[in-house]
Amino acid sequence: MKFAIIIPFYNAESRLETTVESVIKQSYGFTENIQILLVNDGSTDTSGSIADLLVRKYPQNIYQIHIKNGGPARARNIGLMHVRDDIDFVGFLDADDVYSLHMIREMAQFAQEHPEINMIVPPFYYLDDYGNRKKIGAHKLNTRFEQGSRVINIQHDYEAIHFYIGGTFLRFDRLKQLAFDESLHFGEDQLLITKLLLDDEEYGVVADVGYFYYRDLNTKRSLVSKSWQDKSRYQPFLEAVYLSYIQLSKAKFGTVIPYVQYLISYHAKLYFYKENIYFREVLTDVEQEAFVRALQSVLGEVEERYIWELDASQPVKEMMSSIRKKGWPIQFEAAPLAEIPMISLHKKWRRNGHAELISDIEESRTALPEKSFFAVKTLFTTKRAKLTKREQDLRIWDVVVRPAGTISTAKIRLRPWELRGIWFYQNTERKVELEHFHLTTELKQKVKRRLKLKRALNQ
């Protein structure tokens, strides 16, 4: 089984060689089985010269294609035009990302075992630097891989969404029927992937490999901010991408299937993240209204339960629900308070052996009910959590979703001999156990996972 890897690049001199080397060093047999297509998208730095050196070193395997700068969709389409006829699968790799050592070997084995599958994807990891620290984080959608390598049916497992091209492997014969939409500045990859999945209804996941996405936080933040300052990211994107999902689903299934509803909900939440502050700045008053009304129309095709199932903060889900119900003008509506405060719990480990349990209070509360509290019970003692309130308003766009003075977190510091116990909530009527924790064990497991990922990266 043979593979072509398409790597579009634009001014990627700092990491292009490392990216290509991660393919050359594959355990599958580079010279016999792998073609690399380097698509130079009008680079003005030395990355073209770096590509030339790699071509001269591996003239039978690596090919550089020079094009005028036209964006990733055009670069990928042109790359596809140069894929050899004997290629079975095409993989896509960004010019500052890397594959783990056995990526292509495992993809080939899975493809041979499942000849009916046209798309295969690996777990996706964020790599925050290439220095000694190599901080690695897993993508939220990696929960798909917890059951191991398998075939996913999108009708049966609607939460197992996939929409990014980096690391994705597509059967070449199937790709010949598709193309990336070059008119789109955003989402051209997810549109192609979703079209394929709505046709096939199945795809494969391979668990024991990794696609490592390099994330220079300062640069990436700048690029993310720039993308949200583009008008085409708003109403035009909704109409070209989300409405296409809806229309394709209705055409095939007669309805908007849960997979599409959850996919739209998952992706649309990005509009409401705190770093996306440009809505009012980028759009005129008329455009703001048109965008919100278009978003209301899209979210109207989504059952509200899929919004509430999202792994997102409650204010984001409340804003999505408010727009779904009320549209324009924006009228934010907080959800009713629950009997037991809704929280998201996370932990921090300290170098001195201490730790901290932190509950983010999801609801809009100025106080807990009388005689209510969060606490932990350890072998030695019971300790109550300290409540922290917001010092300033929390906003989405320019709408206050949590006023200053509302509870932000419940925190509790734990000493080295208090790292095992029960986190609970107590009110006048009952005690509710929230989590049994063993922080020493959790830390060891976390370190073990990180070491495994670092070994995969360094191989």
Side-chain angles (χ1 to χ4, degrees):
M1 187 164 287
K2 297 187 183 299
F3 291 79
I5 309 301
I6 295 177
I7 307 176
F9 67 92
Y10 173 76
N11 290 355
E13 61 185 5
S14 62
R15 293 185 175 83
L16 180 61
E17 186 173 4
T18 301
T19 297
V20 175
E21 286 291 337
S22 78
V23 181
I24 294 171
K25 294 177 180 178
Q26 287 292 303
S27 61
Y28 188 61
F30 173 68
T31 56
E32 303 87 357
N33 302 308
I34 302 172
Q35 174 192 25
I36 296 178
L37 295 162
L38 299 174
V39 187
N40 187 341
D41 193 18
S43 295
T44 57
D45 65 357
T46 63
S47 51
S49 299
I50 293 169
D52 285 336
L53 290 173
L54 291 163
V55 171
R56 286 198 291 272
K57 190 173 181 181
Y58 299 97
Q60 303 303 315
N61 299 85
I62 303 179
Y63 184 47
Q64 180 176 193
I65 306 159
H66 294 269
I67 63 174
K68 292 182 179 180
N69 183 255
R74 181 168 177 267
R76 293 186 189 113
N77 282 336
I78 290 174
L80 286 169
M81 295 176 188
H82 292 80
V83 173
R84 297 194 315 249
D85 291 337
D86 65 337
I87 293 297
D88 298 292
F89 270 82
V90 177
F92 294 87
L93 179 60
D94 287 346
D96 53 3
D97 302 340
V98 293
Y99 288 155
S100 60
L101 177 65
H102 304 302
M103 172 73 80
I104 297 178
R105 185 192 74 184
E106 295 302 308
M107 292 291 163
Q109 182 176 334
F110 188 92
Q112 289 168 347
E113 294 171 355
H114 302 278
E116 77 285 4
I117 296 301
N118 293 314
M119 186 176 85
I120 313 172
V121 300
F124 190 98
Y125 299 97
Y126 298 105
L127 177 64
D128 282 350
D129 63 80
Y130 278 133
N132 294 327
R133 189 177 178 194
K134 291 193 178 77
K135 184 178 179 182
I136 296 173
H139 194 285
K140 288 183 177 181
L141 292 178
N142 282 2
T143 52
R144 294 173 287 171
F145 302 89
E146 292 174 355
Q147 300 176 44
S149 300
R150 62 191 175 109
V151 173
I152 288 176
N153 184 298
I154 65 171
Q155 294 276 44
H156 301 153
D157 194 355
Y158 68 83
E159 291 184 335
I161 57 174
H162 184 70
F163 56 83
Y164 44 82
I165 198 67
T168 299
F169 287 78
L170 297 168
R171 195 176 295 275
F172 186 36
D173 285 344
R174 187 71 171 86
L175 258 180
K176 292 174 183 176
Q177 307 163 30
L178 301 166
F180 295 95
D181 188 336
E182 296 180 22
S183 70
L184 296 178
H185 295 169
F186 311 98
E188 75 288 340
D189 54 345
Q190 62 175 281
L191 182 56
L192 179 143
I193 287 169
T194 304
K195 285 180 178 178
L196 185 149
L197 284 177
L198 290 177
D199 279 343
D200 290 6
E201 300 182 36
E202 291 184 327
Y203 72 100
V205 295
V206 174
D208 294 327
V209 288
Y211 181 94
F212 293 89
Y213 167 83
Y214 173 71
R215 183 169 59 176
D216 178 333
L217 294 181
N218 291 329
T219 301
K220 296 294 183 183
R221 284 194 189 105
S222 175
L223 291 173
V224 167
S225 295
K226 187 176 179 180
S227 74
W228 289 104
Q229 296 175 58
D230 189 324
K231 288 179 184 288
S232 65
R233 188 66 179 82
Y234 296 88
Q235 186 179 355
F237 180 88
L238 298 184
E239 294 173 347
V241 179
Y242 294 166
L243 286 182
S244 292
Y245 298 165
I246 291 167
Q247 292 162 0
L248 289 167
S249 181
K250 287 182 176 179
K252 180 173 183 180
F253 304 104
T255 187
V256 184
I257 61 173
Y259 178 89
V260 170
Q261 294 187 52
Y262 190 76
L263 172 61
I264 290 173
S265 301
Y266 185 95
H267 198 267
K269 70 182 181 182
L270 297 176
Y271 284 106
F272 307 102
Y273 279 14
K274 63 183 179 181
E275 60 266 28
N276 301 337
I277 59 176
Y278 301 100
F279 168 69
R280 300 293 192 191
E281 297 177 19
V282 172
L283 305 180
T284 66
D285 291 344
V286 172
E287 290 168 338
Q288 290 173 31
E289 178 177 353
F291 166 64
V292 172
R293 290 192 185 281
L295 184 56
Q296 180 187 24
S297 178
V298 168
L299 293 177
E301 300 284 352
V302 175
E303 292 180 41
E304 192 158 359
R305 70 184 183 95
Y306 296 112
I307 294 173
W308 289 102
E309 287 177 10
L310 292 173
D311 181 11
S313 69
Q314 186 161 323
V316 166
K317 292 185 280 191
E318 289 171 347
M319 178 62 88
M320 293 177 72
S321 177
S322 297
I323 288 178
R324 180 182 179 276
K325 293 174 183 176
K326 301 182 178 183
W328 184 266
I330 298 170
Q331 302 171 62
F332 178 76
E333 183 179 275
L337 299 180
E339 179 187 358
I340 308 299
M342 295 180 64
I343 63 166
S344 55
L345 178 64
H346 59 280
K347 298 108 173 176
K348 285 186 178 179
W349 287 269
R350 307 279 179 185
R351 291 187 177 182
N352 60 4
H354 293 63
E356 193 171 30
L357 290 179
I358 304 169
S359 279
D360 295 311
I361 310 299
E362 296 284 346
E363 299 165 312
S364 184
R365 293 177 178 268
T366 55
L368 296 179
E370 188 178 359
K371 297 183 180 179
S372 301
F373 56 89
F374 290 95
V376 296
K377 179 176 176 54
T378 67
L379 182 62
F380 304 100
T381 187
T382 297
K383 301 176 72 170
R384 292 194 186 191
K386 179 181 178 181
L387 298 181
T388 301
K389 293 189 175 183
R390 292 179 176 84
E391 296 182 356
Q392 57 187 13
D393 295 339
L394 175 65
R395 297 173 180 266
I396 294 178
W397 300 337
D398 63 352
V399 178
V400 176
V401 295
R402 294 291 184 267
T406 53
I407 302 173
S408 173
T409 57
K411 298 182 180 180
I412 192 162
R413 288 275 182 104
L414 298 174
R415 296 172 179 169
W417 55 88
E418 299 172 331
L419 301 183
R420 181 176 183 176
I422 302 170
W423 178 256
F424 66 92
Y425 173 74
Q426 178 84 55
N427 61 23
T428 55
E429 297 180 356
R430 57 176 173 151
K431 174 181 175 181
V432 180
E433 294 185 358
L434 302 173
E435 182 176 316
H436 288 249
F437 61 89
H438 194 324
L439 297 187
T440 303
T441 300
E442 289 184 35
L443 179 59
K444 288 179 180 177
Q445 292 172 343
K446 186 175 182 180
V447 170
K448 186 177 180 180
R449 286 194 298 270
R450 285 183 176 174
L451 287 174
K452 182 180 178 180
L453 291 174
K454 286 182 180 180
R455 283 196 294 269
L457 175 65
N458 291 326
Q459 287 176 327

